[in-house]
Amino acid sequence: MTGPSTADALVRYDIPRPRVARITLARPDVRNAQDTRLLYALNDAFDVAARDNDVSVIVLAADGPHFSSGHDLFELDPLAAIQEHRTVGTWCGFDCDGAEAQMAREKEIYLGFSERWRNIPKPTIAAVQGKAISGGLMLVWPCDLIVAADDAQFIDNTVAMGICGAEFFHHPWELGVRRAKEMLFTSDAVTAADAYRLGMVNQVVPGDELETRTLELAERIAQKPAFALKVTKEAVNAAQDAQGRVPAMQTSFALHQLCHSHNQQVHGQPIDPGFALPANSRQAGTAW
Ligand code: ZN
């Protein structure tokens, strides 16, 4: 079994079934909050799975009661942290003044990573339990299939922070425009049952069956010819892109950056300070 170097165990990598790689978020103490190091570790793990010809399907899972609390608002110096890594996009200027550095960072590790993972030429399956909040959605939605535990909840609370939705603005594509607006305007959770009814998730299973049911699905898919899987994914993604997904995403990302700049000018910080972090927020988590 081979895997990326994850000595600090922010993610784990294993091959639980033939031709199935599993990447597991392993920061349960902070509900898998995503700091810069975790996102690069996750990206490295996806690359290992993508390049391994003995892997046909990739599962993304998470330790603990919640899939992910979103981006880690407690990371001490995120703009410095990104410069410790070899970036995978072409954007730069992470040490520039004004809006430039914030935009560069979010283009690289938020929108850039989520798009990159969405386009991995192998089927990906997210196994989701508990809450996936804002940045958490940006790990779930790039996956091709989603298996949800019956306690799963999908939440975007960025509007409450003065921001127009998470950086990977897939809400209308996942939920339809009307439910997307409701999710964003209210910050209310979309339950697993609602997500299934809306076609956002493929299966809802009892929580204690999440692992086995996800791996069974992955193993069944992995028995199909790998190249056919690869180009089928490409064909479906192309159909979605032909509906205008890419330019819509560029517009929403630009508006997201406008919100950060507005908050910076008005409040002196990139999110509205009126947003109250939940009690015990280190565990509850939020996202920009
Ligand atoms: Zn942002």
Side-chain angles (χ1 to χ4, degrees):
M1 184 185 314
T2 58
S5 172
T6 54
D8 49 4
L10 295 171
V11 302
R12 291 195 312 280
Y13 186 98
D14 67 339
I15 307 289
R17 300 286 176 93
R19 305 194 64 80
V20 175
R22 175 172 57 187
I23 302 165
T24 304
L25 307 174
R27 263 193 116 192
D29 53 324
V30 290
R31 305 308 187 223
N32 300 308
Q34 304 160 37
D35 62 5
T36 304
R37 287 188 316 134
L38 180 136
L39 287 169
Y40 274 99
L42 177 57
N43 187 64
D44 288 346
F46 272 127
D47 277 353
V48 168
R51 291 170 185 164
D52 186 345
N53 290 339
D54 292 328
V55 168
S56 289
V57 176
I58 305 167
V59 169
L60 177 62
D63 284 342
H66 297 291
F67 183 85
S68 176
S69 56
H71 299 153
D72 189 348
L73 295 182
F74 294 86
E75 184 168 7
L76 287 180
D77 192 348
L79 293 174
I82 200 167
Q83 296 175 71
E84 298 170 6
H85 298 272
R86 178 171 178 161
T87 53
V88 299
T90 53
W91 210 264
C92 51
F94 303 107
D95 54 353
C96 289
D97 295 330
E100 191 169 356
Q102 173 105 19
M103 183 175 181
R105 178 173 181 273
E106 298 200 350
K107 257 191 180 290
E108 163 74 9
I109 67 167
Y110 294 160
L111 179 60
F113 274 169
S114 290
E115 278 290 306
R116 194 168 189 272
W117 302 332
R118 184 242 185 198
N119 294 322
I120 290 170
K122 295 182 178 181
T124 52
I125 307 175
V128 182
Q129 77 280 13
K131 292 178 180 172
I133 303 176
S134 299
L137 301 172
M138 294 169 50
L139 307 186
V140 174
W141 284 344
C143 291
D144 299 307
L145 305 179
I146 301 171
V147 180
D150 50 13
D151 72 339
Q153 296 183 54
F154 304 89
I155 301 165
D156 187 332
N157 56 1
T158 52
V159 171
M161 302 180 206
I163 303 292
C164 59
E167 290 85 355
F168 183 75
F169 196 81
H170 240 231
H171 315 59
W173 305 97
E174 302 288 347
L175 300 164
V177 294
R178 212 164 297 284
R179 281 304 299 266
K181 288 173 183 170
E182 182 181 359
M183 178 193 213
L184 288 160
F185 293 168
T186 64
S187 304
D188 288 348
V190 175
T191 64
D194 267 356
Y196 180 75
R197 193 169 49 77
L198 293 163
M200 202 205 91
V201 306
N202 297 85
Q203 297 182 20
V204 179
V205 302
D208 59 1
E209 296 179 16
L210 179 63
E211 179 179 8
T212 53
R213 297 277 292 273
T214 303
L215 292 179
E216 284 170 10
L217 177 63
E219 188 172 9
R220 220 150 41 83
I221 294 170
Q223 292 167 1
K224 301 287 196 300
F227 183 62
L229 290 171
K230 178 186 292 187
V231 293
T232 299
K233 172 171 181 170
E234 191 86 344
V236 176
N237 281 2
Q240 190 181 40
D241 288 349
Q243 298 172 49
R245 190 193 69 94
V246 173
M249 296 282 283
Q250 290 168 339
T251 298
S252 54
F253 183 76
L255 294 171
H256 179 104
Q257 296 307 315
L258 174 65
C259 290
H260 279 319
S261 293
H262 173 76
N263 288 322
Q264 192 71 46
Q265 289 179 45
V266 174
H267 304 298
Q269 61 182 57
I271 62 172
D272 190 322
F275 176 75
L277 286 172
N280 197 16
S281 56
R282 190 68 175 146
Q283 276 66 47
T286 56
W288 299 11

